[in-house]
């Protein structure tokens, strides 16, 4: 019995005297070489919800009533200016054109006959004037009928994409009622409704940042329009911006973020490639006393290949860049190479790949 009690005491003593600090994992393995960098300070950005819209969008309607004979496009169809979109039943219009042409030919012959009689003195000036007026009226009626003939087909007003189709063959088209909608995806702008207290903070040409949700980092943009009026509903005002950078996925209706500099504020930023994820937690590796340590962080907005560091390692600690999947807390560190970086560097590297 005494022997068993001694063994238990020895085991408890070994646990109590363990050298590992609570919360740290001692992982044995070969030393790893790492590249580290220091956070940089830069102006903080405040982001607002925005939307991609087209500067050229239109609801397409016809100027005459008629039955739709054929719809030549569908949702998503890309069209060029002048392409045929919709054909209406043209039988009634064609009949009116034939009648107008016949009436014009008769008026032309009648006027010619009266004109010859007037030259011979057999027709009065009044009869000549009446025949001339009849000829001009028939000419105008023919021009009107031929103009109606052009309305039986609907054509694209510019290059673009069909975004809505509201009719099918056999439907009745009425003047002014939209049949199709289309936009020009190449003429996009970013539209945001900002808090009313910022209404005097922006002028046309001011620099901002825009970022498509789920489509990479932000890019520079410039303000093209500010509506200097705060709406009573929501207490917001409208701001529009445009970028010269071709944004992947920048289609009208896509969600975006508009970033504006915060007033006299600076934040710490680290390269986005230094962040590691463990489930729903995010952290960075740092080197402490020749050992890798994983420190959890709270991050803010992402900007030009960097991410805002809201809370995390203090002091002058440096973060490990591009940590491999094999790194873990407690690994010994071999060679440490320090690397400098600047905001936008990581984004530039990705674009260059």
């Amino acid at each position: 019995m005494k022997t068993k009690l001694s063994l238990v005491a020895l085991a408890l003593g070994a646990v109590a005297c363990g050298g590992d600090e609570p919360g740290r994992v001692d992982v044995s393995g070969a030393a790893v070489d790492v590249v580290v960098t220091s956070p940089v300070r830069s102006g903080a950005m405040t982001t607002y919800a925005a939307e991609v819209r087209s500067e050229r969008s239109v609801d397409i309607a016809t100027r005459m009533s008629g039955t739709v004979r054929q719809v030549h496009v569908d949702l998503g169809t890309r069209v060029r200016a002048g392409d045929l979109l919709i054909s209406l039943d043209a039988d009634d219009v064609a009949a009116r054109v034939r009648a107008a042409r016949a009436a014009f030919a008769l008026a032309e012959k009648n006027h010619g006959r009266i004109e010859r009689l007037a030259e011979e003195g057999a027709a009065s000036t009044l009869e000549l004037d009446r025949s001339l007026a009849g000829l001009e009226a028939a000419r105008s009626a023919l021009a009107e009928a031929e103009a109606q003939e052009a309305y039986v087909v609907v054509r694209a007003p510019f290059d673009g994409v069909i975004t809505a189709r509201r009719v099918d063959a056999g439907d009745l088209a009425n003047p002014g009622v939209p049949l199709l909608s289309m936009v020009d995806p190449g003429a996009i702008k970013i539209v945001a409704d900002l808090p009313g207290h910022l209404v005097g903070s922006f002028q046309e040409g001011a620099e901002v940042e825009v970022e498509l949700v789920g489509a990479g980092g932000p890019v520079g943009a410039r303000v093209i329009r500010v509506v200097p009026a705060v709406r009573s509903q929501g207490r917001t005002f409208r701001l529009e911006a445009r970028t010269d950078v071709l944004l992947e996925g920048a289609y009208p209706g896509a969600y975006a973020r508009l970033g504006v500099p915060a007033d006299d504020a600076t934040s710490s930023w680290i390269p986005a490639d230094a962040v590691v994820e463990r489930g729903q937690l995010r952290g960075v590796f740092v080197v402490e006393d020749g050992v890798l340590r994983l420190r959890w962080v709270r991050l803010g907005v992402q900007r030009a290949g960097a991410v805002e560091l809201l809370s995390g390692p203090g002091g002058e600690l440096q973060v490990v860049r591009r940590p491999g999947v094999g790194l873990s807390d407690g690994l010994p560190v071999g060679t440490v190479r320090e690397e400098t970086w600047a905001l936008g560097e990581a984004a530039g590297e990705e674009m260059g790949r």
Side-chain angles (χ1 to χ4, degrees):
M1 179 65 70
K2 184 179 296 185
T3 303
K4 291 184 179 179
L5 290 175
S6 299
L7 290 174
V8 172
L10 287 173
L12 292 174
V15 173
C17 298
D20 293 340
E21 184 179 334
R24 294 195 175 187
V25 179
D26 186 11
V27 180
S28 60
V32 293
D33 299 333
V34 295
V35 176
V36 298
T37 192
S38 300
V40 299
R41 303 286 293 180
S42 181
M45 299 292 290
T46 303
T47 60
Y48 299 94
E51 182 182 357
V52 179
R53 295 188 184 177
S54 176
E55 293 193 76
R56 289 206 295 176
S57 60
V58 65
D59 290 330
I60 299 173
T62 179
R63 296 179 60 177
M64 63 173 291
S65 297
T67 302
V68 176
R69 175 177 290 177
Q70 185 177 358
V71 182
H72 301 273
V73 294
D74 208 337
L75 289 176
T77 301
R78 289 186 172 271
V79 297
R80 304 296 299 271
D83 282 356
L84 183 61
L85 304 180
I86 292 177
S87 301
L88 302 181
D89 190 345
D91 292 344
D92 293 345
V93 175
R96 286 196 292 269
V97 171
R98 289 194 298 269
R101 286 174 179 168
F104 175 72
L106 180 60
E108 196 171 32
K109 289 180 181 179
N110 181 63
H111 177 66
R113 184 171 58 253
I114 297 298
E115 193 173 38
R116 287 192 298 272
L117 291 174
E119 291 174 354
E120 297 171 358
S124 66
T125 302
L126 179 60
E127 291 175 316
L128 181 62
D129 290 342
R130 285 177 176 173
S131 68
L132 180 59
L135 176 62
E136 292 302 322
R139 192 192 310 276
S140 297
L142 175 58
E144 182 179 359
E146 289 178 338
Q148 291 291 321
E149 193 175 33
Y151 299 151
V152 300
V153 292
V154 180
R155 299 185 180 276
F158 51 79
D159 296 355
V161 177
I162 302 300
T163 58
R165 171 178 167 172
R166 302 180 178 89
V167 292
D168 292 302
D171 290 343
L172 180 63
N174 292 308
V177 178
L179 308 176
L180 301 169
S181 295
M182 64 176 291
V183 300
D184 179 359
I188 64 169
K189 60 184 177 182
I190 309 298
V191 178
D193 292 327
L194 304 185
H197 70 273
L198 298 175
V199 67
S201 304
F202 297 94
Q203 302 292 332
E204 291 186 9
E207 295 295 325
V208 293
E209 290 183 351
V210 296
E211 177 184 4
L212 292 185
V213 176
V219 298
R222 66 183 184 278
V223 176
I224 60 171
R225 187 173 298 108
V226 177
V227 181
V230 178
R231 292 176 289 188
S232 57
Q233 184 177 4
R235 308 300 300 171
T236 60
F237 71 98
R238 176 63 52 85
L239 180 144
E240 299 178 2
R242 182 190 298 141
T243 177
D244 296 327
V245 178
L246 182 61
L247 297 175
E248 181 181 356
Y251 296 106
Y255 288 110
R257 296 189 184 96
L258 180 77
V260 299
D263 295 335
D264 301 326
T266 57
S267 298
S268 291
W269 298 79
I270 60 175
D273 59 23
V275 179
V276 296
E277 296 186 0
R278 297 289 187 269
Q280 295 183 345
L281 299 177
R282 290 181 291 182
V284 293
F285 280 106
V286 299
V287 178
E288 295 180 7
D289 300 325
V291 178
L292 277 181
R293 293 301 177 192
L294 178 59
R295 299 303 187 199
W296 304 119
V297 296
R298 187 164 64 92
L299 304 176
V301 298
Q302 190 166 341
R303 170 188 175 193
V307 63
E308 188 179 13
L309 183 62
L310 300 180
S311 65
E316 301 297 326
L317 293 180
Q318 297 175 313
V319 297
V320 175
R321 298 198 64 176
R322 299 175 290 274
V325 294
L327 295 189
S328 59
D329 187 277
L331 279 179
V333 176
T335 303
V336 178
R337 181 167 62 87
E338 186 173 350
E339 188 174 84
T340 59
W341 71 288
L343 287 178
E345 174 192 89
E349 290 176 355
E350 291 175 2
M351 293 175 62
R353 290 194 184 106

